[in-house]
């Protein structure tokens, strides 16, 4: 199987282009051929900065043409890349966290863009730091470097987990694993038998879905790609679907919360979304009620409901594990089950009008999924809840600086079941709360609370404390804290039959999230236990 580097070299002259919309909304366009030529010159500069085949290089930057060029330049140098996360909102100690990643990964160089320049002095104490503007300037006058084609088992990407509950752990993705997952995604998206893909994404490149699915894949195929700044999306959520309509994108995707934001926007504006063939919902649990509202809101804009495709993946599998549309039926489909049997016996018994759980489809080519008993490790029958495990050529069976496991199967940490060959995920094993003889899944609680009018979309965290349910929400209601608490408690009681022991009502911007806007549930729980979820001054005001 060709490596990503070989694919990049082969497809660069094919005429596709990269368009990048920055945080202010300005769009820059460059052909893949021109970007590739710049990357070769940039690789020459990287060599003078100490980057050699087998080195590991960190990139810390907002999404931009220069970042994508630097990514390609690292690979053309024969080195591996780590995309470092920018600081999330209200985050402290970020420089220390990045220094920990730099030390663990053994990065010989970190390239930092102007927007992150404030972190450069601290990072410079851990390794050599090069400004992205300097790299671009020097590359403008440098000769092109010879291309280093990697071996299949050479390291391509060292992807670090979020580290919200522990020190970040590196997932070492080799070139053969990356190539295998890209080939499987390409097949799943039916590229080559129809018009070439036109992809668009605002997802940050330090996340596996943004990097692998919406940057490396179109780069390796040479197809048109539009990238938006994640910061720009968070400031103006409407910019996402406006760009889809403008660029006539055929493939896009986002986590569940983004579809909630898009639903609110679409109720007041009509776009032309007829170009979209695949709209992936992945990266966090898919709420079927929210997605149904999105599909209804997008119908006047011409979106085909069958284009919406829930998906399942994880960094430890490079990215993609399953797509819903691989079952042969498009759209968001649910498995309605008896909630009592699910919570008390761990069995997904079909029941009309029961709890709807989203079908995440069948595995991509080469990947296998099984569900095992948590005590015996043995596979369980269909519709029995257990540990979700995956295996295949793109599955990474160990973390950085740890030996590979003997088993080909990777335990994902998720609980779920299989039905008709499709995967259904119930929740994270470590997040499940056992109360009143039942397993309570946090995402069920969070989905119920999302219906409360005074709760901000995507700003709900449910977790357990000493077998008691606690819910934290951000509210749009000023001064009506008790009313919000009562509304949240009523919604939870109606959905799962359990009243929360506590409801923390927070001002906007106080729930910890990743830089892409995804909730950090474990971090929320830790702050709640430490009494720091609401800053002291605002606790006094309340």
């Amino acid at each position: 199987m060709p490596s990503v580097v070989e694919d990049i070299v082969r497809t660069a002259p094919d005429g596709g282009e990269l368009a990048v919309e920055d945080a202010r909304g300005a769009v820059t366009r460059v052909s893949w051929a021109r970007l590739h030529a710049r990357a070769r010159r940039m690789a020459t500069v990287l060599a003078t900065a100490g980057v050699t085949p087998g080195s590991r290089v960190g990139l810390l930057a907002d999404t931009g043409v220069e970042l994508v060029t630097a990514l390609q330049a690292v690979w053309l140098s024969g080195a591996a890349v780590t995309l470092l996360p920018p600081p999330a909102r209200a985050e402290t100690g970020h420089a220390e966290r990045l220094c920990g990643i730099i030390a663990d990964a053994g990065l010989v160089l970190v390239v930092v863009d102007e927007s992150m320049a404030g972190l450069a002095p601290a990072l410079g104490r851990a390794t050599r730091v090069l400004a992205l503007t300097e790299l671009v300037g020097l590359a403008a006058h440098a000769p092109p470097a010879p291309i280093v084609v990697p071996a299949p088992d050479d390291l391509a990407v060292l992807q670090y987990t979020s580290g919200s509950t522990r020190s970040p752990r590196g997932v070492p993705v080799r070139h053969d694993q990356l190539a295998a997952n890209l080939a499987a995604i390409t097949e799943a998206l039916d590229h080559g038998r129809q018009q070439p893909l036109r992809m668009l994404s605002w997802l940050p490149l330090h996340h596996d879905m943004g990097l692998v699915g919406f940057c490396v894949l179109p780069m390796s195929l040479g197809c048109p790609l539009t990238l938006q700044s994640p910061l720009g999306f968070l400031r103006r959520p409407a910019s996402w679907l406006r760009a889809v309509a403008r660029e006539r994108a055929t493939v896009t995707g986002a986590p569940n919360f983004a579809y909630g934001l898009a639903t609110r926007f679409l109720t007041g504006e009509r776009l032309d979304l007829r170009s979209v063939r695949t709209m992936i919902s992945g990266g966090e649990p898919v709420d079927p009620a929210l997605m149904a509202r999105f599909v209804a809101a997008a119908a006047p804009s011409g979106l085909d409901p069958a284009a919406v495709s829930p998906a399942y993946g994880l960094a430890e599998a490079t990215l993609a594990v399953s797509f819903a549309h691989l079952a042969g039926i498009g759209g968001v489909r649910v498995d309605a089950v008896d909630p009592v049997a699910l919570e008390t016996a761990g069995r997904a018994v079909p029941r009309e009008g029961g709890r709807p759980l989203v079908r995440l489809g069948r595995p991509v080519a080469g990947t296998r999924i099984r569900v095992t008993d948590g005590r015996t490790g043995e596979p369980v029958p269909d519709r029995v809840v257990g540990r979700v495990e995956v295996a295949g050529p793109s599955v990474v069976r160990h973390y950085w600086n740890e030996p590979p496991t003997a088993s080909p199967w990777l335990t994902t940490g998720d609980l779920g079941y299989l039905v008709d060959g499709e995967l259904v995920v119930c929740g994270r094993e470590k997040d499940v709360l056992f109360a009143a003889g039942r397993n309570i899944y946090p995402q069920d609680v969070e989905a119920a609370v999302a219906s409360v009018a005074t709760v901000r979309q995507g700003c709900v965290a449910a977790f357990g404390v000493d077998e008691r349910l606690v819910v934290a929400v951000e509210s749009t209601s000023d001064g009506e804290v008790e009313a919000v608490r009562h509304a949240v408690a009523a919604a939870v009681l109606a959905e799962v039959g359990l009243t929360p022991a506590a409801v923390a009502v927070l001002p906007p911007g106080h729930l910890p999230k990743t830089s892409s806007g995804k909730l950090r549930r474990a971090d929320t729980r830790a702050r709640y236990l430490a009494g720091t979820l609401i800053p002291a001054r605002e606790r006094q005001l309340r």
Side-chain angles (χ1 to χ4, degrees), residues 15-28:
E17 73 167 15
L18 168 68
V20 175
E21 181 178 332
D22 66 20
R24 300 181 302 276
V27 178
T28 302

Side-chain angles (χ1 to χ4, degrees), residues 35-165:
L35 185 145
H36 178 63
R38 290 180 182 176
R40 288 192 62 184
R41 294 195 297 270
M42 200 176 276
T44 298
V45 180
L46 292 177
T48 64
V51 176
T52 59
S55 296
R56 295 176 291 280
V57 177
L59 302 178
L60 177 61
D62 190 16
T63 299
V65 170
E66 293 80 6
L67 174 61
V68 178
T69 309
L71 165 66
Q72 189 177 125
V74 171
W75 279 337
L76 297 178
S77 303
V81 68
T82 293
L83 277 295
L84 295 168
R89 64 180 187 179
E91 186 170 8
T92 59
H94 190 67
E96 291 78 9
R97 179 179 173 226
L98 291 180
C99 287
I101 292 175
I102 291 169
D104 186 70
L107 303 182
V108 301
L109 176 72
V110 173
V111 178
V112 180
D113 81 356
E114 189 176 37
S115 66
M116 314 288 173
L119 294 168
L123 304 187
R125 293 191 286 271
T127 191
R128 181 173 180 178
V129 173
L130 177 64
L132 182 57
T133 53
E134 183 179 357
L135 176 59
V136 172
L138 292 172
H141 307 288
I147 296 169
V148 179
V149 178
D153 59 353
D154 283 347
L155 183 66
V157 180
L158 188 51
Q159 172 84 35
Y160 275 80
T161 58
S162 65
S164 60
T165 60

Side-chain angles (χ1 to χ4, degrees), residues 250-300:
T250 61
V251 180
T252 189
N256 183 83
F257 82 89
Y259 289 94
L261 297 175
T263 300
R264 296 183 178 183
F265 154 66
L266 283 170
T267 57
E269 184 169 344
R270 183 173 296 186
L271 300 171
D272 184 357
L273 300 178
R274 290 174 296 174
S275 65
V276 178
R277 290 197 286 109
T278 305
M279 182 170 268
I280 299 165
S281 180
E284 65 180 13
V286 180
D287 177 1
L290 184 152
M291 294 304 297
R293 293 193 295 271
F294 168 76
V295 168

Side-chain angles (χ1 to χ4, degrees), residues 205-484:
L205 299 189
H206 65 272
H207 286 177
D208 52 345
M209 187 174 171
L211 175 63
V212 177
F214 284 100
C215 180
V216 181
L217 177 69
M219 181 194 295
S220 67
L221 295 175
C223 65
L225 168 66
T226 301
L227 293 177
Q228 296 178 284
S229 162
L231 181 60
F233 166 77
L234 294 175
R235 288 175 178 171
R236 306 181 317 278
S239 65
W240 171 33
L241 294 187
R242 285 174 180 163
V244 169
R246 181 188 72 232
E247 301 292 335
R248 309 299 300 151
T250 61
V251 180
T252 189
N256 183 83
F257 82 89
Y259 289 94
L261 297 175
T263 300
R264 296 183 178 183
F265 154 66
L266 283 170
T267 57
E269 184 169 344
R270 183 173 296 186
L271 300 171
D272 184 357
L273 300 178
R274 290 174 296 174
S275 65
V276 178
R277 290 197 286 109
T278 305
M279 182 170 268
I280 299 165
S281 180
E284 65 180 13
V286 180
D287 177 1
L290 184 152
M291 294 304 297
R293 293 193 295 271
F294 168 76
V295 168
S301 296
L303 179 69
D304 181 359
V308 181
S309 181
Y312 176 73
L314 61 160
E316 291 86 345
T318 302
L319 173 60
V321 171
S322 70
F323 281 101
H325 71 260
L326 290 178
I329 306 172
V332 180
R333 296 170 298 111
V334 300
D335 189 37
V337 301
D338 183 336
V340 176
L342 183 72
E343 294 169 2
T344 60
R347 294 185 177 275
V349 178
R351 198 191 83 181
E352 187 175 350
R355 178 168 298 163
L357 299 175
V358 174
R359 292 186 179 226
L360 299 172
R362 294 176 180 158
V364 298
T367 297
R368 295 171 288 157
I369 304 174
R370 73 177 186 180
V371 177
T372 63
D373 186 292
R375 293 163 298 181
T376 67
E378 294 298 315
V380 298
D382 277 12
R383 293 195 171 278
V384 174
V385 177
R387 290 176 172 167
V388 177
E389 299 183 355
V390 297
S394 58
V395 173
V396 182
R397 305 197 326 270
H398 68 107
Y399 292 99
W400 183 243
N401 292 326
E402 297 179 14
T405 59
S407 171
W409 291 97
L410 170 76
T411 300
T412 64
D414 288 315
L415 297 176
Y417 61 92
L418 292 172
V419 54
D420 301 329
E422 293 189 74
L423 175 66
V424 178
V425 172
C426 300
R428 296 290 292 172
E429 184 173 14
K430 64 182 178 60
D431 290 338
V432 175
L433 169 66
F434 185 76
R438 302 158 52 204
N439 287 317
I440 306 297
Y441 295 97
Q443 65 267 31
D444 293 337
V445 175
E446 292 161 359
V449 174
S451 65
V452 177
T454 51
V455 170
R456 298 185 73 211
Q457 189 68 51
C459 297
V460 184
F463 50 89
V465 176
D466 297 329
E467 297 190 359
R468 297 178 302 132
L469 175 63
V470 177
V471 181
V473 303
E474 290 182 5
S475 175
T476 57
S477 179
D478 186 18
E480 299 293 334
V481 174
E482 285 306 316
V484 175

